[in-house]
Amino acid sequence: MPSDYDLERIKEQILLANIQELLRKISQRCFEECVQVPDVELRGIERDCLTNCMDRFMDSLQLVSRQYFRRRIRQHRSRKNPDKYKSEKQQAT
């Protein structure tokens, strides 16, 4: 049976692999969207397009991540104290 340390290392490796795959996919998508004819160097308009594409992606990723972690925190709190969570939720509506 793996130790807690080993499980943490496995989680970190999975997270790193997921991040690498995500970056590969978005790089490919932005390249296909922005670079019409590959050449020795990128044209200014292609560089700008790539920058904007990656910036939009990173902004979206940050937004989704924040929402995901907020939801996870709420779920965790509701499991620890379901009565309190229900009353807070009812007050919010």
Side-chain angles (χ1 to χ4, degrees):
M1 176 132 182
S3 69
D4 288 343
Y5 176 77
D6 291 336
L7 290 175
E8 261 324 293
R9 298 272 305 158
I10 291 168
K11 287 179 187 178
E12 289 173 5
Q13 289 173 355
I14 291 170
L15 180 62
L16 180 59
N18 287 337
I19 291 170
Q20 289 172 334
E21 178 65 13
L22 190 61
L23 288 174
R24 186 193 66 76
K25 285 181 180 180
I26 195 61
S27 296
Q28 180 180 353
R29 180 174 177 210
C30 288
F31 186 85
E32 289 171 358
E33 181 181 320
C34 296
V35 179
Q36 304 302 319
V37 180
D39 202 352
V40 176
E41 290 184 11
L42 292 172
R43 295 178 300 154
I45 195 167
E46 292 170 330
R47 269 194 307 274
D48 293 344
C49 180
L50 286 168
T51 298
N52 290 334
C53 183
M54 294 298 284
D55 285 347
R56 281 193 318 269
F57 171 75
M58 294 305 291
D59 290 343
S60 300
L61 182 60
Q62 287 176 347
L63 178 67
V64 169
S65 295
R66 272 195 307 267
Q67 293 299 341
Y68 172 78
F69 286 112
R70 284 179 185 155
R71 180 177 293 165
R72 292 291 304 206
I73 289 169
R74 283 195 310 264
Q75 289 173 344
H76 179 72
R77 287 179 182 162
S78 70
R79 284 188 204 123
K80 286 178 94 175
N81 194 348
D83 293 332
K84 180 180 179 188
Y85 179 74
K86 285 179 187 175
S87 66
E88 287 177 358
K89 191 173 182 179
Q90 288 172 350
Q91 291 174 359
T93 57

